[in-house]
């Protein structure tokens, strides 16, 4: 069994796919080699990222500069924050298509509170985050209590949030020029050379990782994704936990909305559509299974980094934006294919 | 009789496992050959080789004196081999006829000829003596009828000579089994060779001519069914004698003070009518009945997994409103579902994860952090006390055998310290050897003062373990028997009691 796994892992490395499965699943499967498997998975993911960096470095000397790396990290921040939140939803076997426009709605709410109403900074920030939590709570209600399929429930929410963002803003960007210190939320550097947005991403990822690994909420996330009925029959109120998980993802959406607004120094009501797919792509590249039950925050962060490194590198190589999108699409395809391949092999030999 | 199929020295190795090692068997025309062995003995691998899903590493397959190479499922079909898998492969939204002739629909150019399709299906079904309409949706049929459709489909290939059936009765009732057996016998009389895989001894005597036993991927032997006893077959399967210890049930006090769970007038919208019974401390209450009699539904209604329309559930003297399994668990009622894999376990997760599932509230800090170390120690203690065969508490439960998986589910409820345990088909799909251990465990639990409900379709097991036996039919309790006065016949009589007129 162990030998077989190693082969599969190597095959993964060959196709440059990031870590296929979560720490928990890897640990669970390999038994006493858990520690080893876990380390190997993460090293491989990291290796893929490093390989990309080296390829682009050789291709262009402009790639590996402090300012470019800093810009890669900054461009990862918003997608990364969204991806970290939605990792929870995807591990439960759900999906959230409302991420992008809900994030925009949160930006707009923050803009209304700060720029239009002139309220203190913390109120605006918390207001944006609370909006995200509310959207998440409603998504959770629709999925867990009303029993709607997540795809439909969040697709409707995607439209509702988009419409609300446009209505509330009057279809005009809201600028934060008169709100001192707001843009520092994203662009200030508490740690020199590291934009605060990046710091927020990593702090959030750390907290999310701890929640997922160490707390009952995380355990419920894996349990519901592994087998919802068995979880329910174990005497667990799965509805309540599903509600909590969607709400938590909504909080991350709110944080992303505030960070995006701060980075652009404006709330752009037209923005947002498409962010959800990029975030979901990052999660999948990071090895979280769309079928639920498996996934990790570290994988998601690496997935998000792989995406922004790819886009940045292709841009530096002066490849058209349109083609960059094609490449990212293909990377997602390869990641899902590699995951399927491993699963099929794990389930025992095909005709050979 | 002439020889139809001969398998010689088949071996198949997977990384780290020798799944089959030089297996032989022969099948004659017009014969039913039973193939038995514990889980993991290699039956499935052998079947997959015959159906072309795997190719063997060594050995020969000879059909009617011709050595053949089964390169894939399609080739198997052309060679006349059809397999009916344990999980059925039917499309529920299509009709019987559409399912049977899927991919081979009679048509003119691009146009389907439905009349012809239905005519041919009707002829086929009539030939087999199966009373089904070609135009019925398969999704609306009972499991047993779906099985008939599978068989009809297998036989609709003109050259089907060899029919392999993998545990065909695992999901159907006793009366439906008899219909299936009639069909099998008529096929046999027509010269079809049938390989019949099953765990159920009493069936083998009814249907099989000979039995071939596999153990750990090796061929143990073949016997004529007439010359062999159940115990001999079991001994061949497990490689040792199993002594069944009968009648060492402890006395149970059945005074009203010892009633742990009392159910009165329980009804549901669709099936259950006025189900009432008492469960005492230290008692094993068997629930017998046919498939669909309402035993599982009773259990699910008690724990609140499905809504009840009338009736009361009283636990330890207090009448409760149990709105969901989470409430049932709070009052110490644990349910071990019939379908372990779908409803009882997280297959992708490890042993500790699964054992901890029902007792997480006791294993977390006030802030919600999990006490991982404690959970692992708890899992280890159950691995030891229940003798769960697993490399460690971090092993994925998917890799464990059926018996050990069942023990993990039991450990989950013991970790929660439930007083009432409802076992639904506790030994389904479990090896003969492991069954004995599960029996011992259930007995031990009752002796320790737990109250146990045991729903089972295997009458010998109900008769052997229960202190009392509740028999259900068509959603009602038709009788409560004491095991020393009950036998298979008296239970079956109550289980088949028709009360439809009364209900209507």
């Amino acid at each position: 069994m162990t030998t077989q796994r190693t082969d599969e892992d190597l095959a993964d490395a060959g196709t440059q796919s990031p870590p296929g499965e979560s720490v928990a699943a890897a640990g669970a499967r390999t038994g006493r080699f858990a520690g080893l498997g876990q380390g190997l998975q993460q090293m491989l993911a990291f290796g893929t990222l490093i390989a990309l960096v080296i390829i682009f470095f050789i291709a262009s000397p402009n790639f590996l500069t402090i300012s470019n790396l800093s810009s890669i990290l900054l461009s990862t921040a918003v997608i990364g924050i969204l991806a970290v939140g939605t990792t929870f939803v995807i591990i439960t076997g759900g999906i959230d298509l409302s991420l992008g426009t809900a994030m925009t709605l949160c930006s707009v709410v923050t803009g209304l509170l700060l720029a239009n109403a002139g309220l203190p900074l913390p109120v605006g920030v918390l207001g944006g985050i609370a909006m995200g939590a509310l959207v998440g709570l409603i998504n959770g209600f629709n999925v867990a209590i009303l029993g709607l399929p997540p795809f439909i429930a969040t697709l409707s929410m995607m439209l509702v949030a988009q419409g609300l963002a446009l209505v509330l803003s009057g279809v005009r960007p809201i600028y934060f020029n008169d709100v001192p210190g707001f843009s520092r939320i994203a662009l200030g550097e508490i740690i020199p050379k590291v934009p605060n947005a990046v710091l927020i991403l990593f702090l959030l990822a750390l907290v999310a990782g701890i929640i997922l690994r160490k707390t009952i909420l995380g355990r419920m996330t894996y349990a519901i994704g592994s087998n919802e009925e068995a979880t329910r029959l174990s005497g667990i109120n799965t509805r309540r936990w599903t509600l909590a998980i969607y709400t938590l993802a909504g909080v991350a959406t709110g944080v992303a909305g505030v960070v995006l607004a701060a980075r652009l120094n404006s709330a752009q009501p037209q923005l947002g559509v498409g962010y959800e797919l990029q975030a979901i792509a990052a999660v999948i590249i990071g090895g979280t299974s769309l079928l639920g039950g498996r996934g990790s925050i570290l994988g998601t962060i690496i997935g998000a980094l792989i995406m922004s490194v790819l886009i940045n590198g292709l841009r530096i190589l002066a490849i058209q934006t349109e083609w960059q999108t094609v490449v990212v699409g293909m990377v997602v395809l390869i990641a899902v294919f590699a995951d399927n391949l491993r699963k099929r092999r794990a389930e025992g030999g095909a005709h050979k | 009789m002439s020889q139809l199929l001969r398998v010689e020295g088949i071996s198949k190795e997977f990384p780290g496992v020798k799944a089959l090692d030089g297996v032989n068997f022969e099948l004659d025309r017009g014969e039913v050959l039973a193939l038995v062995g514990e889980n993991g003995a290699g039956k499935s691998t052998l079947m997959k080789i015959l159906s072309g899903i795997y190719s063997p590493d060594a050995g020969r397959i000879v059909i009617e004196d011709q050595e053949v190479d089964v390169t894939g499922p399609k080739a198997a079909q052309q060679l006349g081999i059809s397999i009916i898998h344990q999980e059925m492969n039917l499309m529920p939204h299509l009709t019987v006829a559409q399912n049977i002739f899927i991919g081979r629909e009679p048509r003119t150019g691009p146009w389907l000829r439905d009349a012809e399709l239905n005519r041919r299906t009707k002829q086929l079904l009539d030939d087999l003596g199966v009373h089904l309409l070609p135009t019925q949706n398969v999704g609306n049929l009972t499991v047993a009828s779906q099985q008939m459709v599978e068989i009809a489909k297998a036989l609709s290939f003109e050259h089907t000579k060899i029919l392999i059936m993998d545990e065909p009765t695992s999901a159907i009732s006793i009366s439906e089994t008899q219909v299936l057996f009639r069909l099998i016998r008529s096929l046999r009389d027509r010269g079809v060779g049938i390989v019949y895989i099953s765990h159920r001894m009493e069936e083998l005597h009814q249907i099989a001519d000979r039995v071939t036993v596999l153990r750990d991927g090796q061929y143990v032997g073949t016997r004529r069914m007439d010359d062999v006893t159940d115990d001999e077959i079991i001994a061949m399967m497990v490689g040792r004698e199993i002594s069944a210890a009968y009648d060492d049930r402890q006395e149970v006090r059945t005074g009203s003070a010892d009633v742990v769970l009392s159910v009165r007038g329980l009804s549901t919208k669709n099936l259950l009518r006025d189900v009432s019974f008492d469960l005492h401390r230290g008692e094993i209450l068997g629930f017998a009945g046919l498939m669909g009699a309402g035993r599982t539904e009773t259990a699910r209604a008690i724990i609140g997994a499905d809504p009840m329309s009338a009736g009361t559930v009283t636990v330890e003297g207090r009448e409760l409103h149990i709105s969901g399994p989470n409430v049932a668990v709070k009052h110490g009622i644990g349910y071990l579902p019939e379908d372990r894999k779908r409803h009882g376990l997280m297959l992708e997760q490890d042993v500790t994860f699964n054992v901890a599932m029902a007792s997480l509230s006791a294993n977390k800090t006030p802030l919600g952090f999990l006490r991982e170390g404690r959970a692992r120690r708890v899992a280890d203690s159950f691995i030891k006390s229940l003798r769960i065969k697993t490399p460690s508490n971090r092993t994925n439960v998917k890799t464990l055998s059926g018996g050990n998986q069942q023990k993990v589910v039991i450990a989950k409820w013991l970790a929660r310290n439930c007083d009432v345990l409802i076992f639904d088909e506790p030994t389904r799909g479990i090896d003969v050897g492991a069954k004995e251990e599960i029996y011992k465990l259930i007995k031990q639990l009752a002796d320790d003062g737990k109250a146990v409900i045991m729903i089972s379709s295997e009458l010998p097991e109900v008769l052997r373990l229960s202190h009392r036996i509740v028999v259900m039919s068509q959603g009602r309790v038709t009788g409560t028997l004491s095991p020393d006065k009950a036998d298979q016949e008296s239970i079956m009589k109550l289980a088949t009691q028709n009360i439809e007129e009364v209900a209507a």
Side-chain angles (χ1 to χ4, degrees), chain A residues 89-115:
Chain A
V89 170
I90 294 179
I91 292 175
T92 66
I95 193 93
D96 187 353
L97 299 177
S98 67
L99 288 178
T101 59
M103 170 185 75
T104 306
L105 180 59
C106 297
S107 294
V108 168
V109 167
T110 302
L112 290 176
L113 293 172
L114 294 181

mmCIF file of all heavy atoms in Angstrom, chain A residues 89-115:
data_model
loop_
_atom_site.group_PDB
_atom_site.id
_atom_site.type_symbol
_atom_site.label_atom_id
_atom_site.label_comp_id
_atom_site.label_asym_id
_atom_site.label_seq_id
_atom_site.Cartn_x
_atom_site.Cartn_y
_atom_site.Cartn_z
ATOM 1 N N VAL A 89 -16.779 25.330 3.093
ATOM 2 C CA VAL A 89 -18.019 24.963 2.411
ATOM 3 C C VAL A 89 -17.774 23.772 1.479
ATOM 4 O O VAL A 89 -18.563 22.826 1.425
ATOM 5 C CB VAL A 89 -18.570 26.163 1.624
ATOM 6 C CG1 VAL A 89 -19.710 25.736 0.713
ATOM 7 C CG2 VAL A 89 -19.040 27.242 2.589
ATOM 8 N N ILE A 90 -16.647 23.820 0.766
ATOM 9 C CA ILE A 90 -16.382 22.749 -0.197
ATOM 10 C C ILE A 90 -16.090 21.432 0.517
ATOM 11 O O ILE A 90 -16.491 20.368 0.061
ATOM 12 C CB ILE A 90 -15.253 23.157 -1.166
ATOM 13 C CG1 ILE A 90 -15.745 24.336 -2.023
ATOM 14 C CG2 ILE A 90 -14.840 21.993 -2.065
ATOM 15 C CD1 ILE A 90 -14.751 24.857 -3.012
ATOM 16 N N ILE A 91 -15.425 21.490 1.677
ATOM 17 C CA ILE A 91 -15.169 20.247 2.416
ATOM 18 C C ILE A 91 -16.484 19.617 2.886
ATOM 19 O O ILE A 91 -16.610 18.402 2.964
ATOM 20 C CB ILE A 91 -14.202 20.473 3.598
ATOM 21 C CG1 ILE A 91 -12.812 20.818 3.072
ATOM 22 C CG2 ILE A 91 -14.100 19.226 4.475
ATOM 23 C CD1 ILE A 91 -11.813 21.180 4.134
ATOM 24 N N THR A 92 -17.500 20.429 3.155
ATOM 25 C CA THR A 92 -18.795 19.826 3.524
ATOM 26 C C THR A 92 -19.499 19.214 2.322
ATOM 27 O O THR A 92 -20.568 18.627 2.466
ATOM 28 C CB THR A 92 -19.803 20.843 4.121
ATOM 29 O OG1 THR A 92 -20.153 21.788 3.093
ATOM 30 C CG2 THR A 92 -19.251 21.564 5.313
ATOM 31 N N GLY A 93 -18.909 19.364 1.136
ATOM 32 C CA GLY A 93 -19.552 18.840 -0.058
ATOM 33 C C GLY A 93 -20.437 19.878 -0.734
ATOM 34 O O GLY A 93 -21.137 19.576 -1.686
ATOM 35 N N GLY A 94 -20.384 21.104 -0.226
ATOM 36 C CA GLY A 94 -21.198 22.177 -0.811
ATOM 37 C C GLY A 94 -20.388 23.019 -1.778
ATOM 38 O O GLY A 94 -19.244 22.707 -2.098
ATOM 39 N N ILE A 95 -21.007 24.085 -2.249
ATOM 40 C CA ILE A 95 -20.325 25.013 -3.148
ATOM 41 C C ILE A 95 -20.953 26.379 -2.903
ATOM 42 O O ILE A 95 -22.114 26.467 -2.549
ATOM 43 C CB ILE A 95 -20.486 24.573 -4.622
ATOM 44 C CG1 ILE A 95 -19.534 25.328 -5.537
ATOM 45 C CG2 ILE A 95 -21.913 24.761 -5.109
ATOM 46 C CD1 ILE A 95 -18.241 24.602 -5.767
ATOM 47 N N ASP A 96 -20.172 27.437 -3.055
ATOM 48 C CA ASP A 96 -20.703 28.781 -2.853
ATOM 49 C C ASP A 96 -20.390 29.647 -4.061
ATOM 50 O O ASP A 96 -19.248 30.046 -4.271
ATOM 51 C CB ASP A 96 -20.129 29.398 -1.576
ATOM 52 C CG ASP A 96 -20.796 30.724 -1.256
ATOM 53 O OD1 ASP A 96 -21.594 31.210 -2.086
ATOM 54 O OD2 ASP A 96 -20.526 31.278 -0.179
ATOM 55 N N LEU A 97 -21.413 29.913 -4.860
ATOM 56 C CA LEU A 97 -21.215 30.734 -6.046
ATOM 57 C C LEU A 97 -21.436 32.208 -5.761
ATOM 58 O O LEU A 97 -21.204 33.053 -6.625
ATOM 59 C CB LEU A 97 -22.197 30.292 -7.150
ATOM 60 C CG LEU A 97 -22.040 28.859 -7.617
ATOM 61 C CD1 LEU A 97 -23.099 28.519 -8.655
ATOM 62 C CD2 LEU A 97 -20.656 28.641 -8.215
ATOM 63 N N SER A 98 -21.867 32.534 -4.551
ATOM 64 C CA SER A 98 -22.198 33.928 -4.258
ATOM 65 C C SER A 98 -20.993 34.702 -3.726
ATOM 66 O O SER A 98 -21.089 35.894 -3.468
ATOM 67 C CB SER A 98 -23.336 33.996 -3.244
ATOM 68 O OG SER A 98 -22.913 33.508 -1.995
ATOM 69 N N LEU A 99 -19.859 34.025 -3.558
ATOM 70 C CA LEU A 99 -18.661 34.647 -2.981
ATOM 71 C C LEU A 99 -18.336 35.993 -3.602
ATOM 72 O O LEU A 99 -18.133 36.984 -2.910
ATOM 73 C CB LEU A 99 -17.435 33.761 -3.254
ATOM 74 C CG LEU A 99 -17.255 32.465 -2.520
ATOM 75 C CD1 LEU A 99 -15.995 31.805 -3.046
ATOM 76 C CD2 LEU A 99 -17.133 32.768 -1.060
ATOM 77 N N GLY A 100 -18.239 36.018 -4.926
ATOM 78 C CA GLY A 100 -17.740 37.189 -5.631
ATOM 79 C C GLY A 100 -18.635 38.399 -5.448
ATOM 80 O O GLY A 100 -18.199 39.459 -4.990
ATOM 81 N N THR A 101 -19.922 38.227 -5.762
ATOM 82 C CA THR A 101 -20.809 39.385 -5.680
ATOM 83 C C THR A 101 -21.116 39.730 -4.228
ATOM 84 O O THR A 101 -21.327 40.897 -3.902
ATOM 85 C CB THR A 101 -22.122 39.118 -6.440
ATOM 86 O OG1 THR A 101 -22.763 37.990 -5.883
ATOM 87 C CG2 THR A 101 -21.857 38.887 -7.916
ATOM 88 N N ALA A 102 -21.112 38.743 -3.341
ATOM 89 C CA ALA A 102 -21.326 39.036 -1.925
ATOM 90 C C ALA A 102 -20.171 39.882 -1.408
ATOM 91 O O ALA A 102 -20.360 40.806 -0.612
ATOM 92 C CB ALA A 102 -21.442 37.747 -1.119
ATOM 93 N N MET A 103 -18.966 39.560 -1.875
ATOM 94 C CA MET A 103 -17.795 40.349 -1.493
ATOM 95 C C MET A 103 -18.001 41.802 -1.929
ATOM 96 O O MET A 103 -17.744 42.738 -1.170
ATOM 97 C CB MET A 103 -16.548 39.764 -2.149
ATOM 98 C CG MET A 103 -15.310 40.623 -2.014
ATOM 99 S SD MET A 103 -13.938 39.927 -2.936
ATOM 100 C CE MET A 103 -14.432 40.356 -4.607
ATOM 101 N N THR A 104 -18.483 42.005 -3.141
ATOM 102 C CA THR A 104 -18.741 43.351 -3.643
ATOM 103 C C THR A 104 -19.778 44.059 -2.777
ATOM 104 O O THR A 104 -19.624 45.227 -2.429
ATOM 105 C CB THR A 104 -19.251 43.270 -5.094
ATOM 106 O OG1 THR A 104 -18.313 42.523 -5.851
ATOM 107 C CG2 THR A 104 -19.420 44.651 -5.685
ATOM 108 N N LEU A 105 -20.813 43.323 -2.421
ATOM 109 C CA LEU A 105 -21.848 43.900 -1.561
ATOM 110 C C LEU A 105 -21.234 44.381 -0.244
ATOM 111 O O LEU A 105 -21.563 45.460 0.248
ATOM 112 C CB LEU A 105 -22.941 42.859 -1.311
ATOM 113 C CG LEU A 105 -24.119 43.279 -0.428
ATOM 114 C CD1 LEU A 105 -24.829 44.488 -1.024
ATOM 115 C CD2 LEU A 105 -25.096 42.127 -0.248
ATOM 116 N N CYS A 106 -20.314 43.580 0.301
ATOM 117 C CA CYS A 106 -19.648 43.957 1.555
ATOM 118 C C CYS A 106 -18.826 45.230 1.353
ATOM 119 O O CYS A 106 -18.818 46.127 2.204
ATOM 120 C CB CYS A 106 -18.752 42.834 2.061
ATOM 121 S SG CYS A 106 -19.677 41.351 2.455
ATOM 122 N N SER A 107 -18.119 45.326 0.222
ATOM 123 C CA SER A 107 -17.356 46.534 -0.097
ATOM 124 C C SER A 107 -18.278 47.739 -0.106
ATOM 125 O O SER A 107 -17.970 48.795 0.464
ATOM 126 C CB SER A 107 -16.696 46.426 -1.478
ATOM 127 O OG SER A 107 -15.726 45.432 -1.493
ATOM 128 N N VAL A 108 -19.398 47.586 -0.771
ATOM 129 C CA VAL A 108 -20.347 48.693 -0.908
ATOM 130 C C VAL A 108 -20.882 49.106 0.460
ATOM 131 O O VAL A 108 -20.954 50.302 0.778
ATOM 132 C CB VAL A 108 -21.498 48.306 -1.865
ATOM 133 C CG1 VAL A 108 -22.631 49.320 -1.787
ATOM 134 C CG2 VAL A 108 -20.976 48.200 -3.283
ATOM 135 N N VAL A 109 -21.228 48.130 1.291
ATOM 136 C CA VAL A 109 -21.739 48.443 2.629
ATOM 137 C C VAL A 109 -20.691 49.217 3.419
ATOM 138 O O VAL A 109 -20.991 50.235 4.052
ATOM 139 C CB VAL A 109 -22.147 47.153 3.373
ATOM 140 C CG1 VAL A 109 -22.361 47.423 4.851
ATOM 141 C CG2 VAL A 109 -23.415 46.582 2.749
ATOM 142 N N THR A 110 -19.436 48.769 3.347
ATOM 143 C CA THR A 110 -18.365 49.487 4.023
ATOM 144 C C THR A 110 -18.261 50.915 3.479
ATOM 145 O O THR A 110 -18.101 51.873 4.239
ATOM 146 C CB THR A 110 -17.022 48.745 3.822
ATOM 147 O OG1 THR A 110 -17.159 47.430 4.334
ATOM 148 C CG2 THR A 110 -15.893 49.440 4.550
ATOM 149 N N GLY A 111 -18.387 51.037 2.172
ATOM 150 C CA GLY A 111 -18.322 52.358 1.546
ATOM 151 C C GLY A 111 -19.448 53.268 2.029
ATOM 152 O O GLY A 111 -19.217 54.433 2.366
ATOM 153 N N LEU A 112 -20.637 52.725 2.104
ATOM 154 C CA LEU A 112 -21.781 53.528 2.567
ATOM 155 C C LEU A 112 -21.560 53.998 3.998
ATOM 156 O O LEU A 112 -21.802 55.162 4.327
ATOM 157 C CB LEU A 112 -23.070 52.702 2.479
ATOM 158 C CG LEU A 112 -23.590 52.384 1.075
ATOM 159 C CD1 LEU A 112 -24.818 51.485 1.149
ATOM 160 C CD2 LEU A 112 -23.921 53.671 0.318
ATOM 161 N N LEU A 113 -21.080 53.071 4.825
ATOM 162 C CA LEU A 113 -20.907 53.410 6.243
ATOM 163 C C LEU A 113 -19.793 54.440 6.439
ATOM 164 O O LEU A 113 -19.921 55.358 7.239
ATOM 165 C CB LEU A 113 -20.602 52.149 7.063
ATOM 166 C CG LEU A 113 -21.739 51.125 7.160
ATOM 167 C CD1 LEU A 113 -21.256 49.851 7.822
ATOM 168 C CD2 LEU A 113 -22.902 51.729 7.947
ATOM 169 N N LEU A 114 -18.691 54.288 5.701
ATOM 170 C CA LEU A 114 -17.530 55.159 5.922
ATOM 171 C C LEU A 114 -17.602 56.420 5.073
ATOM 172 O O LEU A 114 -17.553 57.538 5.603
ATOM 173 C CB LEU A 114 -16.231 54.399 5.626
ATOM 174 C CG LEU A 114 -15.905 53.236 6.562
ATOM 175 C CD1 LEU A 114 -14.595 52.585 6.179
ATOM 176 C CD2 LEU A 114 -15.859 53.720 8.002
ATOM 177 N N ALA A 115 -17.693 56.269 3.771
ATOM 178 C CA ALA A 115 -17.615 57.423 2.880
ATOM 179 C C ALA A 115 -18.907 58.231 2.896
ATOM 180 O O ALA A 115 -18.877 59.462 2.953
ATOM 181 C CB ALA A 115 -17.294 56.977 1.463
#
